[in-house]
Amino acid sequence: MPARPVQQESLRARLLDRLSDFAASTPARFAVLVFASLIGIFTILFSLPIATTSGQQAPFVDALFTAVSVICVTGLSTVDMATFWSPVGHVFVFIGVEIGGIGVLTVASILGLVISRRLGLRQKLMAAGDANPLRIRKGPIAESQAVRLGETRNLLATVAISVLVIEGVVAALLFPRMLLEGVPPLEAAWQSVYISAMSFTNTGFLPTSEGLTPYLSDWWFLGVLMLSVAFGAIGFPVIYVLKQKLLHPRRWSLHVKLTLITFGLLTLGGAVAYFVLEFDNPATMAGMAADQRILQSLFISQMARSGGFATLDMGQLDGSSLLVTDMLMFIGGGSASTAGGIKVTTLAILFLAAFAEARGVDDMEAYKRRIPQDVLRLAVSVVLWGATTVAVATVVILMITDDVPIDYVLFDVISAFATCGLSTGFTTSTSDGAQYVLAATMFLGRIGTVTLAAALAASTRRQLFRRPEERPIVG
């Protein structure tokens, strides 16, 4: 009689071993599988009658789209998030964005660390794959990284602590401002916690139908949101290094320096662009005081990088401002962050390569460090695959929709790919087919073009011969 429990236990152990082997040998495919599984689970949860305010089952396209947007921390929606979903539905949203924002492999590693109080090599490799796409591929990896493999345990602790601390501080800063606005204490407590999670994870959902309307000109409220979004968007490896060496910038890694400088320049450059381009737009900033123009310009510039909150109607922006927003969304935030896009370090690497070519030198260098060529190849691959994804999704949507300006379609497609969440209103009003395309774009954007390519390739091949060299004409 006791043979059956032993057999069941043996079968369970074999399944766990195979799953562990699969995760360690092909972390890219494992990441895609986990993301897809989570989307399936949350689609079922959002399909439950208790998840909607009407008590009826949500249409499949709305449940699926919301699940993808939540797990991919995008912020786009096909329904009014504040009124369509019940309190239970909003709890699902809250849990989903926390999992998706931190990263599914990182969450799995943190849970394993909490349960077993140790972190094996396989768990380290899984978490490292979330922190550095270069580790997704098989083969040796140089340890001159922003965070070394041996520091993975400390990085995971930093992720868990920073999420709790930053979201807690943001909620504490928003709570009294909501009380001053007349929000009842219990509602203010829930809304402050909810908004703090949505800002740090760069999702952009809001719990009330009025959204940010009561705080459109509030420097305190909008300033706290901008800081929260920035902390989530710079990346956990940067937070980890700053926690250890905040007062010693000379000891910061090259990744940290490139991320912070590029991030800051894009934020300020975007703010200046919006200030100039929207200065005379009667639908946005015309008639505002100078301080409000500065506030709104900074806020849009920060949110366009992945935050997803909006104080202005994106559909009313000037065409040139829409193009600037497209570029900022496509770039996104820092690597291994809650933000999307091709990442700021990717842009920095491309510019460094261009400067090196203009100077006629072979090596890319920054801050007295040489950047290897494989990093440049990865940066070019990320941009190429990202641009291809956006182009294909835009063309497909234009084929299945009628009389929609390409500016609006391109805007929402880039927002989906970069998991930004800003919208011209196209996503809500378009057809089911276009919404499915946008959902697929969100998925591809969140799992990362590098992860997807590595998942399809399974591993890199080492070629034991080199063919004759020939130079095609470029430029």
Side-chain angles (χ1 to χ4, degrees):
M1 292 295 295
R4 179 169 295 179
V6 173
Q7 291 176 352
Q8 291 178 347
E9 189 68 27
S10 177
L11 178 61
R12 187 183 300 116
R14 287 199 300 270
L15 289 175
L16 290 175
D17 286 341
R18 288 187 179 181
L19 181 61
S20 180
D21 291 339
F22 176 70
S25 61
T26 56
R29 289 184 177 179
F30 181 70
V32 174
L33 176 64
V34 173
F35 257 107
S37 300
L38 281 172
I39 289 172
I41 292 171
F42 275 83
T43 299
I44 295 173
L45 293 177
F46 286 122
S47 298
L48 297 175
I50 59 172
T52 63
T53 53
S54 65
Q56 299 178 351
Q57 181 175 332
F60 177 76
V61 62
D62 295 328
L64 174 64
F65 194 95
T66 303
V68 176
S69 187
V70 164
I71 296 300
C72 297
V73 290
T74 304
L76 289 175
S77 61
T78 56
V79 297
D80 186 339
M81 294 293 294
T83 59
F84 187 85
W85 303 111
S86 68
V88 174
H90 281 291
V91 170
F92 294 156
V93 171
F94 182 88
I95 295 173
V97 299
E98 294 284 23
I99 296 173
I102 296 174
V104 291
L105 299 185
T106 301
V107 171
S109 300
I110 291 175
L111 291 177
L113 180 60
V114 170
I115 294 172
S116 64
R117 298 187 179 181
R118 61 183 297 272
L119 200 65
L121 178 60
R122 289 178 176 178
Q123 287 75 26
K124 287 182 180 180
L125 290 171
M126 285 171 56
D130 248 3
N132 183 2
L134 285 172
R135 294 190 183 277
I136 290 173
R137 301 175 177 179
K138 286 184 177 180
I141 295 292
E143 275 301 294
S144 55
Q145 309 290 337
V147 179
R148 291 178 170 84
L149 188 61
E151 299 173 314
T152 304
R153 181 189 179 100
N154 293 333
L155 175 62
L156 292 177
T158 299
V159 171
I161 294 172
S162 61
V163 170
L164 294 175
V165 171
I166 294 175
E167 290 188 5
V169 170
V170 171
L173 294 175
L174 296 179
F175 178 71
R177 179 62 186 84
M178 292 181 175
L179 293 179
L180 292 176
E181 193 62 31
V183 181
L186 288 179
E187 286 188 30
W190 163 244
Q191 290 181 23
S192 61
V193 171
Y194 189 94
I195 293 176
S196 69
M198 299 302 147
S199 59
F200 181 70
T201 60
N202 283 215
T203 307
F205 288 137
L206 290 166
T208 61
S209 57
E210 59 187 3
L212 297 178
T213 301
Y215 316 103
L216 292 182
S217 59
D218 193 308
W219 273 90
W220 176 267
F221 197 95
L222 299 185
V224 170
L225 287 186
M226 283 190 282
L227 287 175
S228 180
V229 168
F231 274 113
I234 60 175
F236 293 112
V238 175
I239 295 175
Y240 172 72
V241 173
L242 293 180
K243 180 177 71 72
Q244 293 184 320
K245 309 171 185 177
L246 179 61
L247 301 179
H248 303 88
R250 291 185 179 181
R251 296 169 57 189
W252 293 353
S253 66
L254 178 59
H255 171 77
V256 173
K257 293 176 182 177
L258 289 179
T259 298
L260 293 179
I261 290 176
T262 311
F263 195 97
L265 289 176
L266 287 172
T267 301
L268 292 177
V272 172
Y274 287 120
F275 187 90
V276 173
L277 297 175
E278 294 298 313
F279 192 89
D280 294 325
N281 188 344
T284 55
M285 295 187 192
M288 288 185 180
D291 65 322
Q292 283 302 308
R293 281 196 173 108
I294 294 173
L295 173 61
Q296 299 303 325
S297 299
L298 285 170
F299 191 79
I300 300 174
S301 180
Q302 186 68 280
M303 296 305 121
R305 305 284 303 292
S306 191
F309 295 104
T311 52
L312 301 175
D313 185 351
M314 294 293 104
Q316 297 298 322
L317 291 180
D318 185 78
S320 55
S321 298
L322 286 176
L323 182 58
V324 169
T325 310
D326 288 342
M327 292 187 289
L328 291 176
M329 289 191 300
F330 187 74
I331 296 169
S335 300
S337 71
T338 60
I342 63 171
K343 305 299 188 295
V344 295
T345 44
T346 302
L347 180 69
I349 293 299
L350 294 178
F351 271 99
L352 289 174
F355 293 153
E357 184 66 25
R359 296 197 305 267
V361 296
D362 293 332
D363 294 331
M364 292 183 295
E365 295 179 352
Y367 297 101
K368 300 180 180 180
R369 293 291 186 270
R370 179 177 58 84
I371 302 172
Q373 291 297 315
D374 63 324
V375 177
L376 175 60
R377 290 198 300 270
L378 183 62
V380 172
S381 299
V382 168
V383 174
L384 180 60
W385 283 106
T388 302
T389 301
V390 169
V392 171
T394 302
V395 171
V396 171
I397 290 177
L398 288 173
M399 289 174 57
I400 61 179
T401 56
D402 297 321
D403 301 327
V404 181
I406 187 174
D407 290 351
Y408 288 2
V409 176
L410 182 62
F411 187 98
D412 280 37
V413 167
I414 294 178
S415 181
F417 168 77
T419 65
C420 177
L422 294 177
S423 176
T424 59
F426 168 76
T427 299
T428 304
S429 60
T430 191
S431 63
D432 289 358
Q435 290 172 353
Y436 284 124
V437 175
L438 288 173
T441 306
M442 287 190 288
F443 181 75
L444 294 177
R446 183 54 183 169
I447 63 173
T449 50
V450 176
T451 304
L452 180 63
L456 295 176
S459 64
T460 57
R461 295 182 303 168
R462 176 168 295 181
Q463 191 164 295
L464 301 178
F465 62 92
R466 301 182 71 183
R467 300 188 185 279
E469 182 180 279
E470 185 172 343
R471 294 178 177 269
I473 300 174
V474 177

